[in-house]
Amino acid sequence: MKSLKDKLKEYSNSDIYPMHMPGHKRNAGLFCDVENIDVTEVEGLDNLHDPEGIIKESMDQVSSSLGTDKTYFLVNGSTGGVLSAIQSATDIGDEIIIGRNSHKSVYNAVEIRDLKPVYFYPESTGLFDGGYNKEELEKLLEETSAKTVVITSPTYEGVVSDIKGLAEVAHKNGAILIVDSAHGAHFCLDGFPNPAYKEGADIVIESIHKTLPALTQTAVIHVMGDRINREKLERALATYQTSSPSYVFMTSIDECFNIVEKEGNKRAEELLKTLEKLRCDVNNTRKIFIPGEELVGHNEVYDYDLGKLVIDLSKTNITGVDLAIILQENYKFETEMANNKYVIAMTSIADDLEKVKDFGEALVEVAGELEVTDEELSGERIVNEVKFSPYEAMNKDFEEVALKDAKGRIAGDYIYKYPPGIPLIVPGEVVSEELIKEVEKSLESGLQIKGITDKITSGIKVIKE
């Protein structure tokens, strides 16, 4: 029987090229020998939870380089940062405005704090979520007692919202703005959208491992202004992060920003030039499309991350799952995510640009074999009726039923597509016919659906009546 290490080595030594995170793209030359720097808090090496020496200096250097008021290293990923940010900004039982397309970590924070979520729905491009409307945020703030707003920007697909406008609305109404920018750590580089911490957000969380050359689970949290109680934030960070923080991870964060500062902009320029030609070549097939700057100015899309390749197959006779398999088996490219309508491929400044060019050529070649259909995209969103808050629902007794028999029942657990981990339904919401069809369709297409308890019956947890 092979060990996990054996399987990982086998994958790493294969000829599969990663068009997915982490952003170091398995570039071994970017890192030190792990064994030599995997230590503990010995004399002279400082302590992440009470930094006074080299760790503090490293965090201060990153903060100064990026232009933040304060930056903290995260060794439990963006998840630890999201949990900490929300805890520092709320009291138990508060109302909180959250983007409905938030990552599951936001919902976990809502559940832990017994918060009452008020959902803020983004616009839709038809293919995927657009941005958030600031007039809608104003309305929600006027109608509720919420003093904290949490949104995602950029989204998994690269959509950037009007952070400046949303922050102005939040601040005018006495609220703070937390931005989950897990997929936007590379926005510090020239040619990409402005980072949220320069647009007025109060707390910004970034997963540097997603789009920059750093190890998985590394992230940072930035604080701007004086609306955040930093003492409360630091206590929360000590709660949601391990008491034995990895020096390997902290070194990876430090080295990542050294690379960014020394050669990041040059690498970014070369990457964006390569991607510009790739987009042009693929879009000229008139079959497969990779959206870009044309999205800006519509559906509340304020800006767009051109480093993210969303490969639109809605006009073809194949699904994203089909294309992902073709790319993996025939061309040796592993993509980030696939669903019915599109595939996501991720790039970074650590990419081998010749491989990125090959990826574009593979897409053009595949497009030549595809048929065009007349199917129209539907921008309709499933909006679930809310009966209980997540905290209330998770503290009730539940039972398992087949998905087909769950119509009208109240969900007792999350169901979400993974990646990226955005819930289709949240505990306390009513299971609708539309939701059942969406889940069934996703399962039939081979997508990863979490929250299904029985693969035979597609069982799910519902609250006992």
Side-chain angles (χ1 to χ4, degrees), residues 128 155 157-160 187 191-193 279 290-293 295-296 301-310:
F128 45 74
T155 64
E157 292 82 6
V159 168
V160 178
F187 285 8
F192 290 100
R279 269 190 170 83
I290 302 178
E293 292 175 332
L295 294 170
V296 177
V301 179
Y302 182 75
D303 209 339
Y304 189 73
D305 174 14
L306 295 174
K308 193 67 70 74
L309 302 177
V310 181

mmCIF file of all heavy atoms in Angstrom, residues 128 155 157-160 187 191-193 279 290-293 295-296 301-310:
data_model
loop_
_atom_site.group_PDB
_atom_site.id
_atom_site.type_symbol
_atom_site.label_atom_id
_atom_site.label_comp_id
_atom_site.label_asym_id
_atom_site.label_seq_id
_atom_site.Cartn_x
_atom_site.Cartn_y
_atom_site.Cartn_z
ATOM 1 N N PHE A 128 -21.280 33.719 -13.886
ATOM 2 C CA PHE A 128 -20.876 33.633 -12.484
ATOM 3 C C PHE A 128 -21.252 34.931 -11.772
ATOM 4 O O PHE A 128 -21.774 35.864 -12.398
ATOM 5 C CB PHE A 128 -19.378 33.340 -12.334
ATOM 6 C CG PHE A 128 -18.481 34.166 -13.229
ATOM 7 C CD1 PHE A 128 -18.238 35.505 -12.960
ATOM 8 C CD2 PHE A 128 -17.873 33.608 -14.335
ATOM 9 C CE1 PHE A 128 -17.425 36.272 -13.763
ATOM 10 C CE2 PHE A 128 -17.040 34.372 -15.158
ATOM 11 C CZ PHE A 128 -16.822 35.713 -14.869
ATOM 12 N N THR A 155 -13.689 37.628 -6.266
ATOM 13 C CA THR A 155 -14.327 36.334 -6.142
ATOM 14 C C THR A 155 -13.418 35.249 -6.692
ATOM 15 O O THR A 155 -12.354 35.537 -7.262
ATOM 16 C CB THR A 155 -15.652 36.303 -6.921
ATOM 17 O OG1 THR A 155 -15.352 36.481 -8.322
ATOM 18 C CG2 THR A 155 -16.600 37.406 -6.464
ATOM 19 N N GLU A 157 -13.811 33.688 -9.260
ATOM 20 C CA GLU A 157 -13.703 33.870 -10.705
ATOM 21 C C GLU A 157 -12.982 35.166 -11.098
ATOM 22 O O GLU A 157 -12.862 35.461 -12.289
ATOM 23 C CB GLU A 157 -15.093 33.843 -11.352
ATOM 24 C CG GLU A 157 -15.779 32.500 -11.309
ATOM 25 C CD GLU A 157 -16.482 32.215 -9.969
ATOM 26 O OE1 GLU A 157 -16.520 33.135 -9.109
ATOM 27 O OE2 GLU A 157 -16.983 31.100 -9.781
ATOM 28 N N GLY A 158 -12.551 35.959 -10.111
ATOM 29 C CA GLY A 158 -11.757 37.147 -10.417
ATOM 30 C C GLY A 158 -12.481 38.472 -10.412
ATOM 31 O O GLY A 158 -11.887 39.505 -10.739
ATOM 32 N N VAL A 159 -13.754 38.488 -10.034
ATOM 33 C CA VAL A 159 -14.532 39.733 -10.042
ATOM 34 C C VAL A 159 -14.185 40.597 -8.832
ATOM 35 O O VAL A 159 -14.180 40.127 -7.693
ATOM 36 C CB VAL A 159 -16.045 39.428 -10.049
ATOM 37 C CG1 VAL A 159 -16.862 40.689 -9.766
ATOM 38 C CG2 VAL A 159 -16.449 38.822 -11.386
ATOM 39 N N VAL A 160 -13.923 41.877 -9.106
ATOM 40 C CA VAL A 160 -13.591 42.850 -8.065
ATOM 41 C C VAL A 160 -14.743 43.842 -7.932
ATOM 42 O O VAL A 160 -15.221 44.390 -8.928
ATOM 43 C CB VAL A 160 -12.293 43.601 -8.407
ATOM 44 C CG1 VAL A 160 -11.973 44.651 -7.349
ATOM 45 C CG2 VAL A 160 -11.137 42.616 -8.545
ATOM 46 N N PHE A 187 -2.623 41.329 -5.861
ATOM 47 C CA PHE A 187 -3.041 42.661 -6.290
ATOM 48 C C PHE A 187 -2.028 43.736 -5.885
ATOM 49 O O PHE A 187 -2.168 44.897 -6.285
ATOM 50 C CB PHE A 187 -4.420 42.996 -5.733
ATOM 51 C CG PHE A 187 -5.564 42.298 -6.432
ATOM 52 C CD1 PHE A 187 -5.334 41.319 -7.381
ATOM 53 C CD2 PHE A 187 -6.876 42.617 -6.127
ATOM 54 C CE1 PHE A 187 -6.384 40.671 -8.028
ATOM 55 C CE2 PHE A 187 -7.933 41.984 -6.764
ATOM 56 C CZ PHE A 187 -7.687 41.012 -7.715
ATOM 57 N N GLY A 191 -0.293 46.092 -12.703
ATOM 58 C CA GLY A 191 -1.092 45.476 -13.756
ATOM 59 C C GLY A 191 -2.336 44.779 -13.254
ATOM 60 O O GLY A 191 -3.198 44.389 -14.051
ATOM 61 N N PHE A 192 -2.438 44.630 -11.922
ATOM 62 C CA PHE A 192 -3.614 43.986 -11.334
ATOM 63 C C PHE A 192 -4.473 45.035 -10.617
ATOM 64 O O PHE A 192 -4.011 46.157 -10.367
ATOM 65 C CB PHE A 192 -3.182 42.888 -10.365
ATOM 66 C CG PHE A 192 -2.568 41.692 -11.041
ATOM 67 C CD1 PHE A 192 -1.187 41.527 -11.092
ATOM 68 C CD2 PHE A 192 -3.370 40.745 -11.659
ATOM 69 C CE1 PHE A 192 -0.611 40.444 -11.728
ATOM 70 C CE2 PHE A 192 -2.810 39.651 -12.311
ATOM 71 C CZ PHE A 192 -1.432 39.502 -12.351
ATOM 72 N N PRO A 193 -5.717 44.704 -10.272
ATOM 73 C CA PRO A 193 -6.572 45.662 -9.570
ATOM 74 C C PRO A 193 -5.943 46.158 -8.266
ATOM 75 O O PRO A 193 -5.070 45.506 -7.690
ATOM 76 C CB PRO A 193 -7.846 44.852 -9.300
ATOM 77 C CG PRO A 193 -7.867 43.816 -10.379
ATOM 78 C CD PRO A 193 -6.430 43.447 -10.592
ATOM 79 N N ARG A 279 -5.663 34.835 -24.245
ATOM 80 C CA ARG A 279 -7.082 35.191 -24.318
ATOM 81 C C ARG A 279 -7.501 35.489 -25.753
ATOM 82 O O ARG A 279 -8.558 35.037 -26.224
ATOM 83 C CB ARG A 279 -7.368 36.433 -23.450
ATOM 84 C CG ARG A 279 -7.765 36.146 -22.038
ATOM 85 C CD ARG A 279 -8.263 37.420 -21.336
ATOM 86 N NE ARG A 279 -8.845 37.059 -20.057
ATOM 87 C CZ ARG A 279 -8.139 36.866 -18.946
ATOM 88 N NH1 ARG A 279 -6.823 37.016 -18.972
ATOM 89 N NH2 ARG A 279 -8.741 36.523 -17.828
ATOM 90 N N ILE A 290 -12.738 33.197 -22.846
ATOM 91 C CA ILE A 290 -12.163 33.513 -21.537
ATOM 92 C C ILE A 290 -12.437 34.992 -21.277
ATOM 93 O O ILE A 290 -11.778 35.864 -21.863
ATOM 94 C CB ILE A 290 -10.647 33.227 -21.497
ATOM 95 C CG1 ILE A 290 -10.380 31.757 -21.841
ATOM 96 C CG2 ILE A 290 -10.089 33.562 -20.120
ATOM 97 C CD1 ILE A 290 -8.897 31.392 -21.869
ATOM 98 N N PRO A 291 -13.413 35.322 -20.440
ATOM 99 C CA PRO A 291 -13.770 36.722 -20.208
ATOM 100 C C PRO A 291 -12.631 37.502 -19.575
ATOM 101 O O PRO A 291 -11.733 36.942 -18.935
ATOM 102 C CB PRO A 291 -14.977 36.630 -19.274
ATOM 103 C CG PRO A 291 -14.878 35.279 -18.647
ATOM 104 C CD PRO A 291 -14.235 34.396 -19.658
ATOM 105 N N GLY A 292 -12.686 38.821 -19.771
ATOM 106 C CA GLY A 292 -11.651 39.692 -19.226
ATOM 107 C C GLY A 292 -12.172 41.090 -18.991
ATOM 108 O O GLY A 292 -13.216 41.277 -18.367
ATOM 109 N N GLU A 293 -11.481 42.082 -19.520
ATOM 110 C CA GLU A 293 -11.781 43.483 -19.231
ATOM 111 C C GLU A 293 -13.169 43.914 -19.684
ATOM 112 O O GLU A 293 -13.716 44.891 -19.171
ATOM 113 C CB GLU A 293 -10.727 44.377 -19.892
ATOM 114 C CG GLU A 293 -9.343 44.227 -19.261
ATOM 115 C CD GLU A 293 -8.283 45.025 -19.982
ATOM 116 O OE1 GLU A 293 -8.445 45.251 -21.213
ATOM 117 O OE2 GLU A 293 -7.297 45.416 -19.342
ATOM 118 N N LEU A 295 -15.842 42.699 -19.000
ATOM 119 C CA LEU A 295 -16.800 42.542 -17.901
ATOM 120 C C LEU A 295 -16.953 43.816 -17.082
ATOM 121 O O LEU A 295 -17.994 44.048 -16.462
ATOM 122 C CB LEU A 295 -16.349 41.411 -16.963
ATOM 123 C CG LEU A 295 -16.348 39.991 -17.515
ATOM 124 C CD1 LEU A 295 -15.639 39.060 -16.534
ATOM 125 C CD2 LEU A 295 -17.766 39.502 -17.767
ATOM 126 N N VAL A 296 -15.908 44.624 -17.054
ATOM 127 C CA VAL A 296 -15.878 45.806 -16.194
ATOM 128 C C VAL A 296 -16.934 46.821 -16.637
ATOM 129 O O VAL A 296 -17.107 47.114 -17.825
ATOM 130 C CB VAL A 296 -14.482 46.457 -16.212
ATOM 131 C CG1 VAL A 296 -14.472 47.738 -15.376
ATOM 132 C CG2 VAL A 296 -13.432 45.478 -15.708
ATOM 133 N N VAL A 301 -19.378 44.881 -11.753
ATOM 134 C CA VAL A 301 -17.973 44.473 -11.850
ATOM 135 C C VAL A 301 -17.142 45.748 -11.955
ATOM 136 O O VAL A 301 -17.153 46.423 -12.987
ATOM 137 C CB VAL A 301 -17.720 43.559 -13.068
ATOM 138 C CG1 VAL A 301 -16.236 43.184 -13.135
ATOM 139 C CG2 VAL A 301 -18.591 42.315 -12.990
ATOM 140 N N TYR A 302 -16.436 46.084 -10.897
ATOM 141 C CA TYR A 302 -15.664 47.326 -10.831
ATOM 142 C C TYR A 302 -14.293 47.154 -11.483
ATOM 143 O O TYR A 302 -13.757 48.062 -12.087
ATOM 144 C CB TYR A 302 -15.501 47.733 -9.358
ATOM 145 C CG TYR A 302 -14.766 49.024 -9.149
ATOM 146 C CD1 TYR A 302 -15.396 50.251 -9.404
ATOM 147 C CD2 TYR A 302 -13.453 49.035 -8.688
ATOM 148 C CE1 TYR A 302 -14.728 51.451 -9.204
ATOM 149 C CE2 TYR A 302 -12.775 50.228 -8.487
ATOM 150 C CZ TYR A 302 -13.412 51.431 -8.746
ATOM 151 O OH TYR A 302 -12.754 52.608 -8.547
ATOM 152 N N ASP A 303 -13.722 45.956 -11.344
ATOM 153 C CA ASP A 303 -12.437 45.636 -11.950
ATOM 154 C C ASP A 303 -12.372 44.115 -12.078
ATOM 155 O O ASP A 303 -13.240 43.398 -11.574
ATOM 156 C CB ASP A 303 -11.276 46.159 -11.100
ATOM 157 C CG ASP A 303 -10.039 46.484 -11.934
ATOM 158 O OD1 ASP A 303 -9.930 45.952 -13.064
ATOM 159 O OD2 ASP A 303 -9.184 47.262 -11.466
ATOM 160 N N TYR A 304 -11.339 43.637 -12.765
ATOM 161 C CA TYR A 304 -11.263 42.197 -13.002
ATOM 162 C C TYR A 304 -9.809 41.729 -12.956
ATOM 163 O O TYR A 304 -8.896 42.414 -13.424
ATOM 164 C CB TYR A 304 -11.886 41.834 -14.353
ATOM 165 C CG TYR A 304 -12.033 40.342 -14.536
ATOM 166 C CD1 TYR A 304 -13.007 39.642 -13.825
ATOM 167 C CD2 TYR A 304 -11.181 39.629 -15.369
ATOM 168 C CE1 TYR A 304 -13.128 38.263 -13.961
ATOM 169 C CE2 TYR A 304 -11.294 38.259 -15.512
ATOM 170 C CZ TYR A 304 -12.271 37.576 -14.800
ATOM 171 O OH TYR A 304 -12.377 36.221 -14.913
ATOM 172 N N ASP A 305 -9.614 40.538 -12.382
ATOM 173 C CA ASP A 305 -8.295 39.930 -12.248
ATOM 174 C C ASP A 305 -7.969 39.138 -13.510
ATOM 175 O O ASP A 305 -8.505 38.048 -13.729
ATOM 176 C CB ASP A 305 -8.272 39.017 -11.023
ATOM 177 C CG ASP A 305 -6.969 38.239 -10.898
ATOM 178 O OD1 ASP A 305 -5.993 38.598 -11.592
ATOM 179 O OD2 ASP A 305 -6.929 37.291 -10.100
ATOM 180 N N LEU A 306 -7.093 39.684 -14.339
ATOM 181 C CA LEU A 306 -6.741 39.035 -15.604
ATOM 182 C C LEU A 306 -5.826 37.839 -15.419
ATOM 183 O O LEU A 306 -5.534 37.113 -16.372
ATOM 184 C CB LEU A 306 -6.098 40.058 -16.548
ATOM 185 C CG LEU A 306 -7.027 41.190 -17.001
ATOM 186 C CD1 LEU A 306 -6.244 42.211 -17.817
ATOM 187 C CD2 LEU A 306 -8.203 40.650 -17.809
ATOM 188 N N GLY A 307 -5.369 37.600 -14.195
ATOM 189 C CA GLY A 307 -4.571 36.412 -13.920
ATOM 190 C C GLY A 307 -5.409 35.160 -13.757
ATOM 191 O O GLY A 307 -4.884 34.046 -13.752
ATOM 192 N N LYS A 308 -6.720 35.340 -13.642
ATOM 193 C CA LYS A 308 -7.642 34.214 -13.477
ATOM 194 C C LYS A 308 -8.248 33.871 -14.832
ATOM 195 O O LYS A 308 -8.807 34.737 -15.510
ATOM 196 C CB LYS A 308 -8.741 34.583 -12.462
ATOM 197 C CG LYS A 308 -9.584 33.443 -11.957
ATOM 198 C CD LYS A 308 -8.803 32.459 -11.117
ATOM 199 C CE LYS A 308 -8.377 32.994 -9.768
ATOM 200 N NZ LYS A 308 -9.418 33.109 -8.777
ATOM 201 N N LEU A 309 -8.148 32.608 -15.226
ATOM 202 C CA LEU A 309 -8.693 32.163 -16.510
ATOM 203 C C LEU A 309 -9.970 31.367 -16.277
ATOM 204 O O LEU A 309 -9.929 30.230 -15.811
ATOM 205 C CB LEU A 309 -7.665 31.299 -17.252
ATOM 206 C CG LEU A 309 -6.313 31.962 -17.553
ATOM 207 C CD1 LEU A 309 -5.378 30.968 -18.225
ATOM 208 C CD2 LEU A 309 -6.494 33.208 -18.416
ATOM 209 N N VAL A 310 -11.099 31.986 -16.583
ATOM 210 C CA VAL A 310 -12.390 31.312 -16.489
ATOM 211 C C VAL A 310 -12.777 30.913 -17.905
ATOM 212 O O VAL A 310 -13.092 31.762 -18.744
ATOM 213 C CB VAL A 310 -13.460 32.228 -15.868
ATOM 214 C CG1 VAL A 310 -14.793 31.476 -15.760
ATOM 215 C CG2 VAL A 310 -13.022 32.709 -14.486
#
